Amino acid sequence: MAIKKSELYSMLWKSCDALRGGMDASQYKDYVLVVLFVKYVSDKFKNDPDSIIEIPNSCSFDDFVNLKGNTHIGEEINKKMAALAEANSLQGVINVADFCDEQKLGKGKDLVDTVSNLVGIFQSSGLDFGKNRAADDDLMGDAYEYLMKHFATESGKSKGQFYTPAEVSRVMAKVIGLEKAKCVSTTIYDPTCGSASLLLRALAETPHGATIYGQEYDTATAGLAKMNMILHGVVDADIRQGDTINAPLHKERDTETLQTFDYVVANPPFSTKSWLKSAKEEDVYGRWNSTIGVPPEKNGDYAFLLHIIRSMNRTGQGACILPHGVLFRGNAESNIRKYILKRGYIKGIIGLPANLFFGTGIPACIIVLDKTDAANRKGIFMIDAKAGFAKDGPKNRLREQDVRCITDVWAAQKNVPYFARFVENEEITRNDYNLNIPRYIESVDTEIVQDIEAHLKGGLPVHDVDQLQNYWSACPALREALFMPHPAQKNYLALRCAKEDIRATVKQHPDFIAQDNNFKAHYQQWCDLVSPTLYNLSIGAKPKQLIQQMEDTMLSGFTNDTFLVDAYDVYEQLLTYWNETMQDDAYIIAIDGWKAELYTPQPAAKKAKDGTIKAVKEKKAATPDDVACDLLPVSVVIDAFFVELKTLIQAAEERIAENEAQLNELLEEEAENYLDADTFENKTLSDGNVKKKLRDLKGKANTKEEVKVLERYLNLKEEIADAKRVQKVLKYELLTKLDDKYKQLAEAEIKELVIEKKWFATLSARLDSEMQRISQTLTTSISDLAERYGQTLPEIDKEISGLEDNVKKHLAVMGFNW
C-alpha cells in the first residue's frame, strides 16, 4: 500500500527525536537530511540503475542498515558518505555532518545507539521511494520541505533564515508571470537562495521547466540547496556558494559583467549591517554609484534590491521580500527609491502580515519588479494583505485562502476596497516617493468609537450598526428585525428583541434561512459538478491537477456578493480538508486504485531510558477500534451497514458510563463510612472483601444501612461487568462482520462510500460550520453593542448613589456616622 504523506512526515519528524538534546535543530538537520537523501537515492538506484545518482559499491542505504550496532558505525558512515559524495561531485554537500562527533552524538555506546536509531527510523518496509510515487507526486521533495520548515521553527531567530515559508514562496512565484515561460531555457535566479525552497516554488509554476541558478553565502545551507534540488529531480541547477553582494559568482563568461536572467526571486537577510566589504561605493558591476545612490552601510536592504534589478535582463521580472522600511525610509535610501521609481522598475507591492518569517517578527513586503516597458509604467499596483493570516505556533502563517486571494487580485489588477489599489505615479510623486502602503490603501473601519451621547442618554449609535453592513447587504430585512428607532433618542437605534433572543432572531429570520438554503444548494451543485471526475479517478491519476480543478470550481461557484459566507472561506475549508485527508486518499487511489483493506495499526516505537528506540509488541485486533482502513474509514462502513449493532454497543457504553457514575458517587458518599478501605481485610476495598464482610454482618443488629450500601456496591459492580461482557460480545460480532464486509465490497461500493459518505459528507459539515460561525459572530457583535450602551451614565450614577445610601445605613446601625 502507498505510504501516506502525513505518515511519512510524522515518521521523519520522529527521526529527529534520536538527536535532540546534544545539538539544536540547525545542527541535527545536517544528520537527518543526509540520511534521508541516502535512503531516497538508494531506493531510486535499486529500481533504476540509470538513475541520476550513482551508488558506489557498499554505499547504499542497506549498507548503512548493516552497520546498526557496529562499534565503528560513525566512522564507517563517514567513509561511505565521502565515497558517495566523490562519485557524484557532492563534496561539501552530503558529507558535512560528522557521524563521529562525540560532542553532538555522545561517546561510546551512546554514539552507536544514537546513529543506529537514526538509521533505523528510515528502515521501515513500507518506505520505498523507488516505487512509492504517483504521476505528479514529489513525495521526497515535499518531505524535505516539511523537515526544513520544522527545522527553521526549532532553530529560532538566529538560524531560521535558510527557509522561506512555502506560502510566501508560492505568492512570489505566481505574481511574476512564470506561467508564461515558454521553454526550459528560461532562466530563474535567486541571489540569496538559502535551501532553494523559493527557487523550487518558482520552477513549479513554469509549464515547461526552466534553468536554475542560485548563490548562497552559508556553506552548509548551500549544500542543503543542492540536496533539495536533487530530491526534486533537478540535477543541473547551478548553485554556488559565496557572498553575492561582494563576490557575485554568476557573471557573463570571461567578463566582469553580471549575468542577467528572465526571472529573479529572493528573500535576502533583512537589514544586513556592514554589508559593504570588498565592494566599492562605485560598484564595478553598476549596481550602485554616485548617480544611483549608495545604500547605507548599516542597512543592506537596497544593496540586495539593486543587485536583483541589475541581474534582470531587459524584459526580466522579479520578486523580492524586504522589510517595510524600504518603502519609506529617508536619506540615501530615499534617493535610491526615487531612482528606481522614476525608471518604472516596480510593478507592484504586496504588504504581508507581521511575524511570518523565522528570522524576524517585523512585517515585510514583496516588491514585484518588471523591466518590460518599464519606462511607460503609469503607476504601482498595491495590495495590503497584512490582516490575512492564521496563528501557527509562535509564528503567523498565510492560509490557503490568503495565498489564493492575493494571487487572484493580483492577476485581475482590479481595485478592491481596503485591500488593493492601483496608485498612479502622480500620486506617488505628490507623496515624495514614499511608498508606505497605509498612505494609499485605507484600512477597514473596525474601531470602537465610544459615543458619549449614547452613554449619557441611551440608544445604539447608527455608526456601530453600519459597521455590520456586510450582513445587512446579504440579509436586507434582518437589520429591521433586530433594530428599531430609539423611542427617546433621535438618530439612535434600539434593540427590537430582548438581548437573550438575538441569536434566535438571527437564525430564524427568513433572510438568514434563505442564505443557508442557497449556500447548501450551491454546495450540492459543486458536488454534482466534480462527481464525474472523482468517480473516474483511477491508477495513474494526478492529484495535483484534481485539486486545482476542484478549488477553481469551488471558488467560481461561491463567488457572489450576496453570500454571507465569503468564497475564500469556503475555499479554505476545501484546501484544509484536502491537505489533512483527501490528498492522501487521492495518492492512495493513484497508486493502488480503489482498494479498501482492513489492517491493524501497530503501536509506535518507544524510546527507552537508555536512549534506544524499541518496538512494542504487536497488537491483535479484538474490537472494531483495533482496525483501520486509510481510504474507507471503519466508521463510514459501520454507519452504512451496521447501524443496529452500533446502537446496541452505544447502549451498552451508556449503561457502563451510567453505572460507573453511580458507583463513583457511592464511593464518594461512603468513603468515610461503610466503604472506607481501612475497614476491610488487608485494608483493601475489593469485591471479595465486600462479600466476606456481608457474610459477617448477616444476622447482626443495627447493620441494615451498612448491608444496603455494600449490596448496592456489589450490584453496581455486577451491572458494569455484565454491560462490559455484552459490549465485548457485540464488538467482536461487529469486528467479524466488518472483516467480511470489507472483503466483499465491490469497487463501485467503495467509490460511493468514499466520495459521498466520507469526502462530501465531511466537507458539508465543515461548510455548515461556516454558517454557524457567521451567526455566532453577528450575535456576539450585536450583544456586545447592546452591552456597551446598556446603561446610561445617569443610571449608573443613580445605582452607585443607592449603593452608597445602603452602606451609610449599615454603618449607622453599627454606630458609625458618615
Side-chain angles (χ1 to χ4, degrees):
M1 179 176 286
I3 186 170
K4 296 167 64 176
K5 282 194 175 185
S6 56
E7 290 177 352
L8 171 62
Y9 296 166
S10 176
M11 183 194 70
L12 292 178
W13 196 236
K14 286 178 183 176
S15 70
C16 305
D17 288 337
L19 299 174
R20 286 190 180 93
M23 63 195 96
D24 68 24
S26 66
Q27 296 173 315
Y28 66 68
K29 73 178 188 302
D30 298 334
Y31 293 91
V32 173
L33 290 173
V34 294
V35 175
L36 173 68
F37 179 86
V38 172
K39 169 63 174 170
Y40 172 75
V41 297
S42 297
D43 285 352
K44 298 300 291 182
F45 185 81
K46 191 184 300 183
N47 289 277
D48 179 12
D50 296 323
S51 64
I52 56 178
I53 297 295
E54 178 186 346
I55 308 295
N57 190 36
S58 301
C59 291
S60 72
F61 180 76
D62 290 341
D63 297 306
F64 281 47
V65 172
N66 292 334
L67 289 172
K68 286 171 57 181
N70 188 308
T71 307
H72 304 289
I73 185 172
E75 180 182 350
E76 291 299 317
I77 286 183
N78 281 346
K79 291 179 182 178
K80 294 181 188 301
M81 284 292 188
L84 191 59
E86 184 177 359
N88 295 280
S89 300
L90 292 174
Q91 293 93 335
V93 176
I94 63 172
N95 58 335
V96 293
D98 181 6
F99 285 84
C100 289
D101 192 328
E102 295 183 345
Q103 186 175 355
K104 295 177 181 177
L105 301 172
K107 296 181 180 181
K109 185 176 183 299
D110 288 340
L111 185 147
V112 173
D113 289 342
T114 298
V115 178
S116 296
N117 289 336
L118 177 60
V119 172
I121 293 292
F122 295 92
Q123 196 182 343
S124 168
S125 60
L127 189 60
D128 185 347
F129 296 121
K131 299 176 181 178
N132 238 322
R133 184 167 179 146
D136 67 345
D137 187 16
D138 184 13
L139 188 67
M140 274 308 305
D142 289 348
Y144 183 96
E145 289 298 296
Y146 168 85
L147 282 172
M148 291 303 295
K149 175 184 176 181
H150 285 278
F151 288 140
T153 302
E154 287 213 348
S155 293
K157 182 176 180 180
S158 62
K159 296 171 183 174
Q161 72 276 4
F162 52 76
Y163 180 76
T164 302
E167 298 82 12
V168 179
S169 298
R170 285 162 53 200
V171 171
M172 295 175 69
K174 286 179 179 294
V175 299
I176 59 176
L178 280 162
E179 75 281 355
K180 299 174 185 175
K182 296 180 180 179
C183 59
V184 73
S185 62
T186 298
T187 54
I188 306 175
Y189 169 59
D190 184 344
T192 57
C193 68
S195 61
S197 58
L198 186 47
L199 276 172
L200 286 162
R201 293 292 175 185
L203 179 64
E205 291 299 314
T206 61
H208 307 291
T211 304
I212 300 297
Y213 300 83
Q215 185 166 339
E216 168 55 36
Y217 181 79
D218 184 78
T219 303
T221 306
L224 291 178
K226 293 177 182 179
M227 269 199 293
N228 199 1
M229 284 291 171
I230 293 172
L231 291 174
H232 280 81
V234 183
V235 295
D236 57 353
D238 185 353
I239 305 294
R240 305 184 189 184
Q241 186 274 319
D243 183 343
T244 299
I245 296 299
N246 290 278
L249 299 176
H250 291 95
K251 295 179 283 191
E252 297 295 342
R253 185 174 299 177
D254 301 325
T255 71
E256 286 301 307
T257 303
L258 289 183
Q259 185 177 351
T260 59
F261 306 91
D262 299 309
Y263 297 93
V264 182
V265 291
N267 177 17
F270 289 178
S271 307
T272 302
K273 301 183 185 301
S274 303
W275 60 272
L276 190 62
K277 296 169 185 166
S278 60
K280 307 297 182 184
E281 291 189 358
E282 287 288 330
D283 183 50
V284 296
Y285 304 107
R287 295 172 292 182
W288 52 81
N289 52 43
S290 56
T291 302
I292 298 171
V294 181
E297 189 171 357
K298 65 180 180 180
N299 193 323
D301 292 332
Y302 270 99
F304 285 104
L305 183 59
L306 289 170
H307 175 85
I308 291 166
I309 292 172
R310 182 64 185 83
S311 300
M312 294 162 54
N313 61 30
R314 58 187 178 84
T315 59
Q317 299 178 73
C320 177
I321 301 170
L322 289 172
H324 265 287
V326 301
L327 302 177
F328 54 80
R329 289 195 298 251
N331 301 319
E333 292 183 314
S334 176
N335 294 329
I336 298 172
R337 185 167 59 248
K338 183 176 180 179
Y339 170 86
I340 295 172
L341 287 169
K342 282 191 170 183
R343 277 150 185 78
Y345 292 149
I346 298 180
K347 183 178 182 180
I349 299 170
I350 301 170
L352 299 171
N355 202 29
L356 284 182
F357 300 95
F358 295 100
T360 179
I362 64 173
C365 61
I366 300 173
I367 308 292
V368 185
L369 305 162
D370 189 355
K371 283 189 177 180
T372 304
D373 201 27
N376 297 317
R377 183 154 286 118
K378 303 300 182 185
I380 295 175
F381 190 70
M382 294 187 179
I383 294 178
D384 186 1
K386 67 177 179 293
F389 64 89
K391 291 294 294 180
D392 188 3
K395 307 301 292 182
N396 293 331
R397 170 181 55 81
L398 292 180
R399 300 163 296 181
E400 292 289 348
Q401 68 184 93
D402 301 318
V403 174
R404 184 63 187 255
C405 183
I406 292 169
T407 54
D408 282 353
V409 170
W410 176 267
Q413 293 279 300
K414 291 183 179 180
N415 292 353
V416 178
Y418 311 114
F419 186 73
R421 179 175 170 234
F422 181 78
V423 182
E424 295 185 356
N425 289 333
E426 182 183 348
E427 185 176 353
I428 293 172
T429 303
R430 287 201 311 270
N431 279 283
D432 197 24
Y433 300 95
N434 186 315
L435 298 177
N436 197 18
I437 295 174
R439 283 182 177 240
Y440 305 98
I441 300 177
E442 182 183 5
S443 296
V444 178
D445 179 15
T446 57
E447 183 182 2
I448 297 175
V449 179
Q450 297 294 338
D451 190 299
I452 303 300
E453 187 169 353
H455 281 302
L456 290 173
K457 299 180 181 179
L460 306 177
V462 175
H463 166 271
D464 294 56
V465 177
D466 287 345
Q467 285 184 319
L468 304 171
Q469 185 56 45
N470 58 314
Y471 294 102
W472 318 138
S473 297
C475 301
L478 182 56
R479 175 171 175 155
E480 187 176 349
L482 289 164
F483 301 99
M484 63 181 180
H486 194 278
Q489 272 283 80
K490 188 177 180 182
N491 298 326
Y492 283 82
L493 302 173
L495 272 179
R496 193 180 291 275
C497 62
K499 193 166 68 172
E500 58 270 19
D501 295 332
I502 294 173
R503 181 176 179 81
T505 302
V506 171
K507 296 200 71 173
Q508 296 170 13
H509 192 273
D511 280 4
F512 189 86
I513 294 172
Q515 276 281 333
D516 191 29
N517 291 337
N518 194 21
F519 186 67
K520 290 176 179 175
H522 275 74
Y523 174 65
Q524 187 56 53
Q525 289 173 10
W526 177 81
C527 292
D528 294 341
L529 190 62
V530 300
S531 281
T533 301
L534 296 178
Y535 275 95
N536 286 326
L537 283 178
S538 59
I539 293 176
K542 297 184 177 181
K544 289 182 180 178
Q545 291 183 10
L546 169 66
I547 186 56
Q548 183 69 54
Q549 177 188 343
M550 291 172 68
E551 65 188 54
D552 287 345
T553 53
M554 178 74 84
L555 263 182
S556 61
F558 283 88
T559 301
N560 189 321
D561 291 339
T562 62
F563 271 151
L564 266 177
V565 180
D566 186 85
Y568 288 102
D569 288 331
V570 177
Y571 174 88
E572 179 70 17
Q573 291 290 356
L574 170 62
L575 267 292
T576 300
Y577 183 54
W578 171 263
N579 291 328
E580 290 174 356
T581 302
M582 280 191 73
Q583 176 179 225
D584 281 337
D585 291 347
Y587 279 111
I588 288 172
I589 295 165
I591 297 169
D592 299 323
W594 293 88
K595 291 182 180 178
E597 298 174 347
L598 281 178
Y599 68 93
T600 304
Q602 297 305 319
K606 293 184 178 180
K607 197 170 186 177
K609 291 182 179 180
D610 61 2
T612 57
I613 305 296
K614 295 184 177 180
V616 296
K617 187 177 180 180
E618 289 191 3
K619 182 180 180 182
K620 184 179 180 181
T623 74
D625 300 327
D626 299 325
V627 293
C629 177
D630 293 328
L631 183 61
L632 180 56
V634 170
S635 59
V636 173
V637 175
I638 291 174
D639 287 341
F641 300 103
F642 306 114
V643 175
E644 290 184 9
L645 260 178
K646 176 183 175 180
T647 303
L648 291 173
I649 291 171
Q650 288 175 339
E653 290 172 347
E654 290 170 4
R655 182 180 164 199
I656 292 169
E658 181 181 346
N659 286 318
E660 285 180 340
Q662 292 182 32
L663 179 62
N664 290 332
E665 184 179 348
L666 181 67
L667 289 170
E668 186 176 340
E669 290 175 352
E670 303 295 338
E672 296 180 0
N673 298 315
Y674 306 124
L675 294 176
D676 183 354
D678 289 340
T679 65
F680 293 90
E681 188 175 319
N682 299 325
K683 295 184 178 182
T684 303
L685 176 62
S686 66
D687 293 0
N689 284 342
V690 172
K691 291 176 181 177
K692 184 176 183 300
K693 194 168 186 179
L694 273 174
R695 288 195 298 270
D696 294 341
L697 292 173
K698 185 176 288 188
K700 291 185 178 180
N702 301 320
T703 60
K704 184 176 181 181
E705 185 64 30
E706 185 174 4
V707 168
K708 182 179 177 182
V709 170
L710 296 180
E711 287 180 341
R712 174 146 178 75
Y713 170 86
L714 289 174
N715 288 337
L716 286 171
K717 292 292 293 287
E718 184 61 29
E719 286 282 338
I720 293 170
D722 285 344
K724 286 184 175 180
R725 282 190 288 270
V726 171
Q727 180 193 50
K728 183 177 180 179
V729 171
L730 291 172
K731 282 191 172 184
Y732 185 76
E733 181 183 354
L734 179 55
L735 175 64
T736 304
K737 290 188 174 182
L738 278 171
D739 188 51
D740 291 340
K741 174 55 71 175
Y742 270 90
K743 292 174 182 176
Q744 297 167 6
L745 284 172
E747 182 175 297
E749 289 179 290
I750 297 172
K751 285 184 177 182
E752 183 177 1
L753 289 170
V754 171
I755 295 170
E756 306 292 343
K757 302 300 183 182
K758 181 183 180 182
W759 294 345
F760 286 168
T762 303
L763 276 172
S764 177
R766 291 185 175 219
L767 295 186
D768 283 346
S769 71
E770 284 297 317
M771 287 299 295
Q772 297 298 324
R773 179 184 62 82
I774 285 172
S775 68
Q776 183 59 48
T777 302
L778 178 57
T779 299
T780 301
S781 298
I782 298 172
S783 297
D784 289 346
L785 178 59
E787 184 72 28
R788 191 178 310 136
Y789 298 102
Q791 278 186 299
T792 63
L793 186 58
E795 289 171 341
I796 295 173
D797 287 340
K798 184 177 179 180
E799 182 179 340
I800 293 173
S801 179
L803 293 172
E804 287 179 348
D805 290 342
N806 288 335
V807 170
K808 288 177 180 179
K809 289 177 181 177
H810 286 296
L811 289 172
V813 171
M814 292 186 288
F816 294 96
N817 292 318
W818 181 37

